[in-house]
Amino acid sequence: MASITMTINGTTVTTEPGTTILEAAQSAGIHIPTLCHHPALPPVGACRVCLVEAEGSGKLLTSCTTPAAEGMSVRTHSPRVLEARRFVVEMILLRHPLDCFSCPSNGNCELQDIAYELGIEESSFAEEGDTCRDHPLEEDNPYFVRDLNKCILCGRCIRACDSLARYHAVDFHNRGIHTMVHPPADRTLEESDCTFCGQCVQLCPVGALAEKPSRGRGRPWELHPVTTVCPYCGVGCELEIQVNSKTGRIANVTSDYGSPTSLNRGRTCVKGRFAWQFVHSGERLTTPLVRRDGELREASWEEALETAAAGLQRIKSDHGPDSLGFFSSARCTNEENYLMQRLAREVVGTNNIDHCAHL
Amino acid sequence: MPTYQRQVLICGGTGCVASGSLELQEALKDRLEACGLTDRVLVLQTGCHGICEAGPIVVIHPEGTVYTEVRPEDAAEIVEEHLRRGRHVERLMQRDIHSFYAGQMRLTLQNCGRIDPERIEEYIAYDGYQGLANALFSMTPEEVVEQVALSGLRGRGGGGFPTGKKWEFCARAGGGKKYVICNADEGDPGAFMDRSLLEGDPNAILEGMAIGAYAMGADEGYIYCRTEYPLAVERLHTAIAQAEEYGLLGDNIMGTDFSFHVHIKEGAGAFVCGEETALMASIEGKRGTPRPRPPFPADSGLWGKPTNINNVETWGQIPQIILKGGDWYNAVGTERSRGTKVFALTGKVNNTGLVEVPMGITLREIIFDIGGGIRKGKGFKAVQIGGPSGGCLTEEHLDLPVSYESLSEAGAIMGSGGLVVMDDETCIVDVARFFLEFTQAESCGKCPPCREGTKKMLDILNRITEGEGSPEDIDTLERLAYQIRETSLCGLGQTAPNPVLTTLRYFRDEYMAHIEEKRCPAGVCQALTGYSIDPDRCVGCTKCAQVCPVQAIQGERGTPHSIDRETCIQCGACVKACPVQAISRS
């Protein structure tokens, strides 16, 4: 199908059929703020922050859902658009607590960014008593806390649970001002179908969902990501370890939903995202140990590997390759397990290879 | 087969059922049996006559006598006098209903009150399913769409979109599976035209849908009916079963290749499900919330398939348009608003009920001629048109010819056709507050302008009615209203501020009286009104003080009493107790 030519803020943009106005703008380096939108989730056009004006259309359009069309002329920052956008953000800020100072998402909050971009300090419609304080903090599980007072009802957590985790553990409840995100039938999250994979936490644009193990381990701007593979199982999910540059210790684990190379495309399970504390365990071995005279002693890697290789070679020459067996782990990656079987079959010459998932 | 001398038609609409028509029917049948007249008099149940105010309604043929407000205890007299002796029961004919019908043009409602909605044979006897037969045997699908376009019919659910155009979009959408949907999720306060039509003439809706399905290439249809309409749902089930039995629905309709199956989906009471995208989500078993368009239902609707959604009244007009031709329908109405429209006339008007009028009729004719004017001789103040999404129009609009365009120019909308008449004892700020309370409660909560904005507007209106408003509140209300309209996702939010905008446009003084003078001119807002005792009239009998439940009245016996407004709960007990009418509300 032929490509589409349109103009955005007077600039000619060429894009493919099926792209949205937002995607077309992004490809041309034009910024349109968003809140409920996330590239990993189906668009819903709920938050109204990305409204733009298109020539010939009376109504403002949500750029995240409206397809780009041939000849379309779009303005993303016209006075009408900015007034509407400012109003929408002021509506979202109406009940949102402005306790950014102590919020875990401070510095990593998309609402904060948009308010900053639009020059909004607080909602001009807000009056005393508007700030939402109705909901008690929910923190009965070891993984994350829910603070519904901060929830802006963008529905990203619901869509993450639906389309990424596929559990549908939460959905919108009630109507109007009483709308809230909740598991069904007044159950708590702990009693629901939630598996605490934590994907909703990462996709929450504000501080309504926050990782528990990360509390006090660093502010967002103190962290730098280190891309690695999850150590928990053979699937080999890619993770982003958020390391505190000051302490050198892990502050959080996230994932990259836009990663072109990962096989999980950002999806994670509860273990990968939340169970990283062992990394800094004092009981963890940090150097190889070699048994000398019946006692384990610290050794260099060269010494340890040489000792192991010499031992294996000795057994092979004395008793034949089938006197050796190789036992790998389901916590290794597929690639590591593959290498292990090549070591067994090709280097040592035995088919005695297995791993713990058979246990 | 017995030859009946007379037919007794008893209204079985919800209004008449609520006022006892089923008991009346039993009483009449018992009486007829006791008198041995069952083989000479046939008792039938019909749909709504429209004038629910005067129910239960009984029509006796062949004379065409109409009895109003008939009670079960009247059965004996009707049987004895009318059915035995052929004499009218004059005392049940006191109400003037002629003027109620004189100005009407009942096209959609033609069968309501005339046929038994639970017998498809009666519908067929009045040319029922003839339109479908014409379409199937002598018209191509394109010709059907052409006739609908020619008729000038526009969506009766509120949007007013040209029906022919909508059908054309869906007909043009790629082949394969398609759906047609009947939107019967009527929810505007005071509106009940869809319910009456479904209850009184369900086959007309089914026939309309079948014609539409043929024209657009659909083979399956859904009627999304609110569950609060049990009688409508029951009659639809009956009608579908009977139509399938006669081969008028189902596979190979009338022996042709055309098949069409209709299902009923009962809504669970969410007002927003009347919005088409929310309605489809609800049918799919999802939470009923609207989504942005495009894609439009004609391209991607129910389960992603091309879908056409029309309102009950729109479907109800189709059979006659196909039967009599688009130009027949086109001859009625104004230039851009053709045909007739059914209104639910309620409020402070003498004849409340369902009226069907040609487009272009004036509000004055509807309210004063058909509606019989304002109750108790009070003055006309305003009329709310189009439900919670509509607006309040005033005296100056009474001679406005009713059309989609004229109403929207005046700041209101046709909407689904709710007409709530208000007299001069109605507080306009309180009315705006009522509608905002409704829209706020029914907002689906998806988009911030509707969810948060309508709540803020309601807070401000509550404050004004409580005497706590400030002049800046008016500016804030207007700012909120314009931006909520501009930025909301669906029609509910986009139109929710209308009642406030129109009342601010036409009744700003009344808002200002509440704000600046702390006065409710209509004497409605409790916080701004109170009871007081006229010292010149009071005889000091203490009767008021004795009945006051909160001891708000002080005074020595024999001297004028007074009311402490802080303590008073405005129950009105003192007014009733006062023997000299010394207590009044101000």
Side-chain angles (χ1 to χ4, degrees), chain B residues 129 179-186 194-195 197-199 201-210 213 219-241 243-244 249 260-268 273-274 276 279-280 282-284 302-303 307-313 315-316:
Chain B
Y129 289 100
Y179 294 97
V180 292
I181 296 176
C182 172
N183 184 347
D185 193 47
E186 184 173 54
D194 294 348
R195 190 198 71 212
L197 192 51
L198 291 168
E199 288 175 1
D201 199 9
N203 280 291
I205 311 302
L206 298 177
E207 187 185 352
M209 289 177 75
D219 67 349
E220 210 170 343
Y222 278 87
I223 301 175
Y224 188 90
C225 186
R226 58 195 313 223
T227 203
E228 295 90 333
Y229 285 177
L231 192 58
V233 171
E234 189 189 313
R235 288 190 179 155
L236 279 169
H237 277 297
T238 307
I240 291 171
E244 283 177 350
L249 280 182
F260 180 57
H261 295 265
V262 180
H263 315 280
I264 298 171
K265 168 80 185 175
E266 289 183 54
C273 284
E276 60 181 17
L279 185 151
M280 291 187 300
S282 179
I283 292 180
E284 291 173 6
L302 189 61
W303 286 298
T307 302
N308 181 75
I309 304 188
N310 281 126
N311 166 262
V312 171
E313 203 185 323
W315 287 122

Side-chain angles (χ1 to χ4, degrees), chain A residues 44-46 48 59-60 65 80 83-84 87 91-92 95 124-125 127 130 152-153 172 174-177 179, chain B residues 270 287 292 294 440 442-443 445-448 451-453 455-456 463 479-480 483 486-489 494:
Chain A
V44 287
R48 322 302 288 165
K59 288 178 183 169
L60 298 178
T65 61
R80 182 183 170 198
E83 198 186 341
F87 175 78
M91 285 297 106
I92 298 170
R95 288 189 296 149
S124 62
F125 297 95
E127 293 168 291
D130 277 349
I152 58 166
L153 299 166
F172 287 114
N174 304 330
R175 284 200 286 256
I177 205 75
T179 309
Chain B
R287 180 178 159 94
Q440 154 59 32
E442 294 297 340
S443 162
K446 185 170 178 175
C447 74
R451 182 184 66 233
E452 310 288 339
K455 174 67 167 55
K456 184 47 78 180
R463 196 157 68 207
R479 227 178 107 208
L480 280 161
Q483 284 299 337
E486 172 97 331
T487 57
S488 290
L489 194 163
Q494 287 161 13

Side-chain angles (χ1 to χ4, degrees), chain A residues 21 52-61 66 72-75 80-81:
Chain A
I21 296 176
V52 294
E53 195 175 2
E55 211 168 87
S57 169
K59 288 178 183 169
L60 298 178
L61 305 169
T66 312
M72 199 179 228
S73 174
V74 173
R75 295 177 74 194
R80 182 183 170 198
V81 168

Side-chain angles (χ1 to χ4, degrees), chain B residues 39 53 55 77 86 142 155-156 207 224 251 256 276 292 307 340 349 372 382 401 421 434 454 463 469 507 574 584:
Chain B
D39 55 347
E53 172 82 20
E77 195 177 344
E142 294 76 24
R156 296 293 191 243
E207 187 185 352
Y224 188 90
D251 289 328
T256 66
E276 60 181 17
T307 302
T340 58
V349 69
V421 179
F434 167 80
T454 55
R463 196 157 68 207
F507 297 94
C574 54
S584 61

